[in-house]
């Protein structure tokens, strides 16, 4: 088209030579522009040809798939099968230390993809060493709501606290902090919906709430036509210079356990709790790297404080009476990468038995697990080597005083391998 | 209280003042967005020249910036695969999702070098689409600037002319500078170099230099003693002119090898902000050439 225009104008100039120099100059410029445009068109065509060379076919829309392989070799001075946390209502879930000897860990299969312009989906299935399959996460998430809102639905790791939504293979220690074990049975991943909002500020501010069924501890999976779990969380975060990033927050979890059993072999009767459970979590994480370049050295400081109030009724055999507890826990951990591929970490766990009262007049002799006034503690040390971001070997020592009057010394060697798609890890 | 509220209001409203809020993944694209967008854009750059763009985390401040962005300008080709997808899913911002006009990938408009013929992680951290460090070839910058100005004009139709004019003026200055650099860089032709990571491939290709080795045994793996001694033996047989690393690459391995091979170790800014002199795209190339020419003699 440009060419014909140019020809027409040239023709015009030829017919009316009176137009003179100005028009010729303009024509010359026009010709130059056409040449430039043609060159650019050529370039665009080259790129387009290259882009269309990508393979197409039925499998072109396959979701990203990755697989995590894990395993441990462990020894411990006390039997992991009799593990319990003295003074705390025993959670259901995986809370014990690693099995003795060689043991396969959970193999995680992660499948994720955008569904359409509006939704994204993700499945995290865990193949347990006991030959069962557990659905850790299976959720959809909105992409197109706008104004900073996101809705998630299905089964997902709750956004409460800090460590809760980190997948196990990305933890800095092989096992969860005691606070998570005692108050959430390791982690909270209920079936439900989540609404999250990010404020339009340069400072990171996130507010959110979740409604769930109360499928897992501290809930009891009620067979009811209403929500059994409610959470709310707020997080703020930002940078200090180029080197430091931080985030801190406050979360709340409310559940109404019904006949939550207290399996205690040493108790003189069968016990269960019905009532209300309120849990508060304060969390913070700070990451530092020189100039923000974490490749060679970096440091991570992470801590959370849990406070739980439970009130309701405790039944003990045929007796029923009031029950109230106020308990708390905290952990603090630091992980330092002192050279490329190598990290060391230390974690301190402490639980506070607090006050536990019951209207039946039970003593710790009747119900040792629930009523013994004991503050469990644990010290954990680890060193790990990660040849690439897809592989990690870890050596971990722990002195675990979860059981009153006994110290469990644990040593374990762990491997974590990740195959397939390059996953993105949350901060 | 009133002061606090005013400050809060200001904090909430201030990002909306310019026509386009741009979140640039790397400093080179931040600089380019400023060249084209002028005062119609506010640009926030997610990383600095001293950070390895492969290893960035989706930290809270970046999620907050992504929340308000109208346009994200990134390299693509999986360079930011560890963090940009998280910014997209966590920000609650539909504009910057993959496939939307608000998400721009520079690698999509240039021809990538070093496309692997075999994809296997045993070969290290390779990118399926090809080498993503495209910005040290001025031709690529020109191509990206054309596509980016078009994208900006698309998103902010009222200022279409503004972006076009600025792009034209930039391209004029850029092609003049490119001609100058090509003349200046003539002595570099054929110069053999050892690099740290394969992040200078486009520069080497453009100036006709030769890459004879890399300090990383495989892309993404830290230099090992075994690999460095092998490299040293190789340099004794066929010497190189210099060991070149980007500002964000750790200096020790390069210095170790340079000292033993008796050749200079050169640090290049790699991107805007990598050295004090590399203040924008033009001075980035100026400084890079100056540093390379200093060892070419």
């Amino acid at each position: 088209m440009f060419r014909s225009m140019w020809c027409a104008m040239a023709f015009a100039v030829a017919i009316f030579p009176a137009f003179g120099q100005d028009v010729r100059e303009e024509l010359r410029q026009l010709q130059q522009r056409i040449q430039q445009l043609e060159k650019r068109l050529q370039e665009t065509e080259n790129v387009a040809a290259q882009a269309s060379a990508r393979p197409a076919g039925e499998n072109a829309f396959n979701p990203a798939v990755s697989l995590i392989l894990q395993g441990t070799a462990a020894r411990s001075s006390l039997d992991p099968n009799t593990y319990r946390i003295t003074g705390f209502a025993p959670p259901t879930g995986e809370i014990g230390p690693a099995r003795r000897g060689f043991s396969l860990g959970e193999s995680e299969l992660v499948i994720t993809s955008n569904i359409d312009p509006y939704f994204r989906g993700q499945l995290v299935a865990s193949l347990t060493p006991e030959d069962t399959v557990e659905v850790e996460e299976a959720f959809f998430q909105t992409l197109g709501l706008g104004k900073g809102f996101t809705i998630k639905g299905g089964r997902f790791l709750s956004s409460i606290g800090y460590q809760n939504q980190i997948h196990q293979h990305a933890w800095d220690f092989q096992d969860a902090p005691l606070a998570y074990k005692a108050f959430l049975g390791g982690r909270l991943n209920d079936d439900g919906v989540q609404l999250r909002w990010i404020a339009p500020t340069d400072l990171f501010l996130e507010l959110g709430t979740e409604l769930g069924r109360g499928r897992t501890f501290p809930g009891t999976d009620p067979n009811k036509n209403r929500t059994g779990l409610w959470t709310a969380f707020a997080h703020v975060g930002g940078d200090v210079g180029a080197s430091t990033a931080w985030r801190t927050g406050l979360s709340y979890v409310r559940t109404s356990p019904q006949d939550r059993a207290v399996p205690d072999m040493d108790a003189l009767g069968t016990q269960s709790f019905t009532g209300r459970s309120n849990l508060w979590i304060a969390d913070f994480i700070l990451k530092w790297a020189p100039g923000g370049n974490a490749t060679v050295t970096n440091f991570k400081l992470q801590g959370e404080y849990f406070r739980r109030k439970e009130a309701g009724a405790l039944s003990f055999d045929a007796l029923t009476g009031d029950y109230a507890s106020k308990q708390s826990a905290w952990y603090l951990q630091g992980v330092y990468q002192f050279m490329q591929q190598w990290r060391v970490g230390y974690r301190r766990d402490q639980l506070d038995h607090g006050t536990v009262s019951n209207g039946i007049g039970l003593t710790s002799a009747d119900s040792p697990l629930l009523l013994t006034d004991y503050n469990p503690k644990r010290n954990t040390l680890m060193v790990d080597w990660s040849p690439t971001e897809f592989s990690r070997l870890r050596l971990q020592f722990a002195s675990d005083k979860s059981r009153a009057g006994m110290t469990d010394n644990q040593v374990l060697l762990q491997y974590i391998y990740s195959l397939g798609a390059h996953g993105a890890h949350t901060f | 209280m009133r002061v606090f509220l005013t400050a809060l209001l200001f904090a909430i409203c201030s990002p909306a003042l310019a026509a386009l809020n741009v979140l640039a993944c790397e400093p080179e694209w931040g600089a380019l967005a400023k060249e084209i967008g002028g005062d119609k854009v506010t640009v926030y750059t997610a990383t600095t020249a001293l950070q390895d763009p492969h290893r960035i985390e989706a930290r809270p401040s970046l999620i907050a910036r992504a929340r308000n962005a109208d346009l994200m300008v990134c390299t693509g080709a999986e360079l930011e695969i560890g963090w940009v997808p998280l910014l997209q899913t966590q920000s609650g911002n539909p504009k910057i999702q993959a496939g939307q006009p608000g998400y721009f990938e520079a690698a999509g408009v240039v021809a990538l070098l070093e496309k692997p013929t075999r994809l296997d992680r045993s070969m290290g951290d390779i990118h399926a689409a090809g080498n993503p460090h495209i910005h040290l070839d001025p031709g690529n910058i020109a191509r990206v600037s054309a596509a980016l100005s078009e994208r900006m004009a698309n998103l902010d139709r009222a200022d279409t002319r503004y972006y076009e004019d600025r792009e034209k003026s930039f391209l004029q200055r850029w092609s003049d500078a490119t001609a100058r650099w090509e003349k200046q860089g003539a002595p570099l032709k054929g110069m053999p170099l050892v690099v740290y990571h394969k992040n200078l491939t486009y520069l080497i290709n453009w100036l006709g230099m030769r890459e004879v080795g890399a300090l990383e045994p495989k892309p993404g793996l830290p230099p090992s003693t075994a690999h460095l001694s092998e490299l040293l033996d190789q340099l004794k047989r066929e010497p190189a002119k210099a060991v070149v690393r980007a500002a964000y690459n750790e200096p020790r391995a390069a210095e170790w090898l340079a000292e033993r091979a008796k050749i200079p170790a050169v640090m290049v800014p790699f991107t805007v902000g990598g050295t004090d002199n590399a203040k924008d795209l033009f001075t980035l190339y100026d400084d890079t050439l100056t540093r390379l020419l200093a060892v070419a003699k």
Side-chain angles (χ1 to χ4, degrees):
Chain A
M1 197 192 82
F2 285 109
R3 198 165 276 169
S4 58
M5 208 163 80
W6 184 75
C7 290
M9 288 183 78
F11 191 59
V13 172
I15 293 176
F16 305 105
F19 276 101
Q21 283 290 312
D22 284 355
V23 176
R24 286 212 185 92
E25 178 57 29
E26 257 179 56
L27 271 175
R28 205 183 57 76
Q29 283 177 0
L30 203 65
Q31 189 180 15
Q32 256 180 11
R33 261 194 78 190
I34 289 165
Q35 279 166 355
Q36 275 173 8
L37 279 167
E38 273 174 351
K39 199 174 148 214
R40 259 163 76 176
L41 185 72
Q42 183 69 45
E43 277 176 9
T44 318
E45 274 169 0
N46 287 347
V47 171
Q50 195 195 15
S52 64
R54 277 177 201 152
E58 270 187 293
N59 64 348
F61 286 98
N62 271 349
V65 179
S66 59
L67 182 67
I68 314 290
L69 300 179
Q70 304 187 75
T72 49
R75 36 181 317 138
S76 52
S77 57
L78 298 178
D79 182 0
N81 294 323
T82 61
Y83 182 82
R84 55 187 198 246
I85 303 172
T86 306
F88 290 79
T92 48
E94 302 144 24
I95 64 155
R99 271 186 70 103
R100 288 165 153 173
F102 290 106
S103 169
L104 186 66
E106 288 181 353
S107 313
E108 283 178 32
L109 180 66
V110 185
I111 300 178
T112 182
S113 172
N114 284 351
I115 296 165
D116 57 22
Y118 315 109
F119 299 101
R120 179 178 181 79
Q122 178 167 328
L123 169 78
V124 182
S126 153
L127 314 177
T128 69
E130 293 80 32
D131 299 334
T132 58
V133 178
E134 275 172 30
V135 177
E136 275 187 37
E137 286 195 298
F139 64 82
F140 71 87
Q141 179 183 356
T142 60
L143 296 175
L145 279 189
K147 306 256 179 254
F149 286 100
T150 307
I151 292 175
K152 221 185 224 188
R155 180 177 299 175
F156 50 88
L157 292 172
S158 165
S159 296
I160 56 162
Y162 172 72
Q163 174 147 326
N164 198 69
Q165 60 173 337
I166 310 264
H167 284 116
Q168 191 232 333
H169 66 263
W171 290 353
D172 293 325
F173 295 87
Q174 184 263 343
D175 47 3
L178 281 187
Y180 272 95
K181 291 185 176 188
F183 289 152
L184 294 169
R187 66 174 174 212
L188 183 64
N189 65 333
D190 207 2
D191 296 358
V193 287
Q194 179 195 70
L195 176 69
R196 227 169 117 257
W197 179 67
I198 310 280
T201 49
D202 289 344
L203 179 78
F204 172 79
L205 169 62
E206 162 192 84
L207 302 175
T209 180
E210 294 157 354
L211 296 175
R213 188 170 87 221
R215 187 178 70 89
T216 55
F217 188 86
T220 50
D221 201 357
N223 180 16
K224 295 248 169 78
N225 285 323
R226 58 180 176 80
T227 56
L229 173 128
W230 178 70
T231 76
F233 55 89
H235 288 114
V236 287
D239 292 341
V240 183
S243 303
T244 310
W246 61 276
R247 198 192 81 163
T248 180
L250 196 63
S251 314
Y252 173 66
V253 182
R254 180 187 175 118
T255 49
S256 309
Q258 298 288 319
D259 297 320
R260 191 175 71 202
V262 184
D264 182 3
M265 298 224 286
D266 301 326
L268 301 176
T270 53
Q271 317 158 73
S272 71
F273 167 76
T274 298
R276 184 139 283 171
S277 174
N278 296 300
L279 173 67
W280 288 91
I281 307 171
D283 67 88
F284 85 91
I285 169 86
L286 187 146
K287 294 187 186 184
W288 174 89
N293 189 3
T295 312
V296 181
T297 54
N298 62 70
F299 178 68
K300 191 168 160 183
L301 185 68
Q302 166 188 342
E304 293 184 70
Y305 173 77
F306 285 58
R307 185 166 184 81
R308 181 176 67 183
K309 279 187 192 177
E310 293 199 318
L314 185 73
S315 57
F316 188 86
D317 284 343
L319 303 170
T320 299
D322 291 345
Y323 171 88
S325 72
K326 281 184 198 167
Q327 300 186 298
S328 63
W330 60 266
Y331 76 92
L332 185 68
Q333 67 186 49
V335 176
Y336 179 52
Q337 181 173 315
F338 56 97
M339 59 186 280
Q340 206 162 347
Q341 303 180 326
W342 288 90
R343 308 190 307 162
V344 286
Y346 170 73
R347 175 178 65 190
R348 168 73 179 179
D349 282 285
Q350 187 150 351
L351 307 188
D352 182 0
H353 178 73
T355 57
V356 178
S357 63
N358 72 88
I360 313 175
L362 299 175
T363 66
S364 62
D366 302 307
S367 176
L369 181 54
L370 210 54
L371 299 176
T372 304
D373 188 359
Y374 173 71
N375 299 332
K377 294 174 193 63
R378 184 174 65 172
N379 289 307
T380 314
L381 205 60
M382 76 89 191
V383 50
D384 65 21
W385 176 60
S386 316
T388 66
E389 52 199 311
F390 303 102
S391 56
R392 177 167 283 167
L393 291 175
R394 175 181 290 146
L395 179 64
Q396 179 174 314
F397 304 91
S399 160
D400 188 344
K401 293 185 169 123
S402 296
R403 293 171 254 199
M406 290 186 274
T407 302
D408 187 13
N409 291 312
Q410 306 156 356
V411 186
L412 67 84
L413 197 60
Q414 183 193 17
Y415 67 81
I416 307 168
Y417 292 114
S418 106
L419 291 69
H422 187 303
H425 286 145
T426 44
F427 175 74
Chain B
M1 191 63 197
R2 180 168 294 175
V3 175
F4 175 73
L5 279 178
T6 319
L8 190 74
L9 249 161
F10 186 73
I12 291 173
C13 302
S14 57
L17 285 175
L20 280 182
N21 245 321
V22 178
L23 176 61
C25 287
E26 287 89 24
E28 60 270 20
W29 308 132
L32 186 61
K34 275 181 212 155
E35 293 280 0
I36 296 166
D39 52 14
K40 300 287 182 199
V41 298
T42 32
V43 179
Y44 182 82
T45 303
T47 57
T48 73
L50 301 180
Q51 297 170 353
D52 183 344
H54 301 91
R55 291 165 193 263
I56 301 297
E57 279 194 277
R59 56 183 198 274
S61 65
L62 296 187
I63 296 174
R65 299 289 178 165
R67 153 73 166 88
N68 296 322
D70 300 304
L71 173 63
M72 253 179 106
V73 184
C74 299
T75 300
E78 296 168 8
L79 177 64
E80 303 101 345
I81 197 166
W83 52 288
V84 164
L86 277 171
L87 297 186
Q88 290 170 326
T89 54
Q90 304 223 339
S91 60
N93 182 353
K95 291 185 219 163
I96 55 159
Q97 302 300 322
Q100 297 296 321
Y103 178 63
F104 178 88
E105 281 192 349
V109 297
V110 304
L112 298 188
L113 299 175
E114 296 181 337
K115 258 183 215 206
T117 47
R118 220 177 111 237
L119 273 184
D120 193 311
R121 287 262 161 74
S122 66
M123 298 157 77
D125 190 11
I126 50 171
H127 301 265
N131 189 322
H133 307 285
I134 55 172
H135 66 282
L136 287 177
D137 178 339
N140 286 347
I141 295 284
R143 277 172 210 118
V144 175
S145 81
L148 184 60
S149 80
E150 209 168 286
R151 190 63 70 87
M152 285 179 170
N154 241 329
L155 291 168
D156 173 21
R157 299 235 179 247
D159 295 316
T160 303
R161 273 303 295 272
Y162 180 84
Y163 298 122
E164 278 173 5
D165 290 349
R166 283 195 68 103
E167 199 258 337
K168 220 175 120 193
S169 131
F170 169 73
L171 216 55
Q172 190 57 55
R173 285 178 290 131
W174 191 253
S175 58
D176 292 349
T178 305
R180 195 180 78 229
W181 292 323
E182 279 170 358
K183 214 166 133 197
Q184 267 179 4
L188 297 174
K189 206 165 178 98
M191 181 161 105
L193 294 177
V194 175
V195 298
Y196 186 105
H197 177 68
K198 285 189 157 290
N199 50 9
L200 301 172
T201 306
Y202 291 83
L203 178 75
I204 288 169
N205 190 50
W206 167 52
L207 292 172
M209 299 184 284
R210 280 193 304 130
E211 181 188 310
V212 296
L215 299 184
E216 291 181 341
K218 298 248 160 87
L221 298 186
S224 63
T225 345
H227 177 69
L228 287 179
S229 357
E230 249 173 58
L231 212 53
L232 190 59
D233 285 343
Q234 183 201 318
L235 289 180
K236 278 178 190 151
R237 288 193 309 272
E238 38 171 335
K241 276 277 191 185
V243 184
V244 190
R245 68 174 176 95
Y248 75 81
N249 292 136
E250 188 266 333
R252 276 183 309 178
E255 279 158 13
W256 186 93
L257 185 69
E259 196 180 302
R260 277 160 190 80
K262 302 196 172 53
I263 51 176
V266 184
M267 185 266 272
V268 290
F270 184 66
T271 183
V272 177
T275 57
D276 290 343
N277 289 334
K279 288 184 174 63
D280 57 21
L281 287 167
F282 292 94
T283 48
L284 164 66
Y285 275 74
D286 284 338
D287 195 39
T288 305
L289 276 166
T290 309
R291 282 163 186 265
L292 287 173
L293 285 166
V295 295
K297 285 150 208 149

